[in-house]
């Protein structure tokens, strides 16, 4: 199945702005992140700590709703889902 991945701001530079990612049926958010991070060393460094954990500043959204970190291992994705990846937002 395919899901759309959109990355913003600093993550956009490392991951590309928008892409369709092919993942297996029933794949979780973690599986998708592993697939995206596996595309290059730059992508892996943008998403994951050396320990393999998702970096603390990465914000995840699925179809416009925020995804909690506790859910990434179990949240199953569906065909056509749109996943957005944001770095922390700053401003004043």
């Amino acid at each position: 199945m395919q899901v759309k991945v959109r990355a913003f701001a600093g993550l956009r530079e490392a991951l590309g702005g928008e892409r369709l990612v092919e993942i297996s049926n029933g794949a979780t958010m973690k599986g998708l992140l592993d697939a995206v991070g596996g595309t290059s060393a730059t992508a892996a460094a943008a998403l994951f700590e050396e320990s393999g954990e998702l970096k603390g500043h990465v914000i995840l959204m699925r179809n416009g709703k925020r995804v909690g970190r506790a859910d990434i291992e179990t949240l199953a994705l569906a065909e056509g889902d749109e996943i957005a990846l944001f770095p922390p937002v700053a401003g004043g």
Side-chain angles (χ1 to χ4, degrees), residues 2-7 11-22 32-40 42-44 47 81-85:
Q2 289 186 329
V3 297
K4 183 186 292 184
V5 177
R6 300 177 70 201
L11 290 176
R12 182 183 185 104
E13 296 171 16
L15 306 175
E18 180 176 314
R19 69 171 75 172
L20 291 175
V21 178
E22 185 77 28
L32 173 67
L33 294 170
D34 288 344
V36 171
T39 59
S40 72
T42 301
L47 291 174
D81 276 352
E82 183 174 308
I83 306 303
L85 306 170

Side-chain angles (χ1 to χ4, degrees), residues 11-75:
L11 290 176
R12 182 183 185 104
E13 296 171 16
L15 306 175
E18 180 176 314
R19 69 171 75 172
L20 291 175
V21 178
E22 185 77 28
I23 55 175
S24 61
N25 288 336
T28 64
M29 179 71 83
K30 175 71 168 119
L32 173 67
L33 294 170
D34 288 344
V36 171
T39 59
S40 72
T42 301
L47 291 174
F48 299 108
E49 302 287 352
E50 288 185 24
S51 67
E53 290 201 31
L54 183 66
K55 287 192 170 180
H57 65 264
V58 176
I59 298 169
L60 304 168
M61 299 194 68
R62 174 187 182 203
N63 300 329
K65 295 184 180 176
R66 191 156 181 175
V67 175
R69 292 182 174 277
D71 298 328
I72 66 171
E73 296 276 348
T74 58
L75 178 64

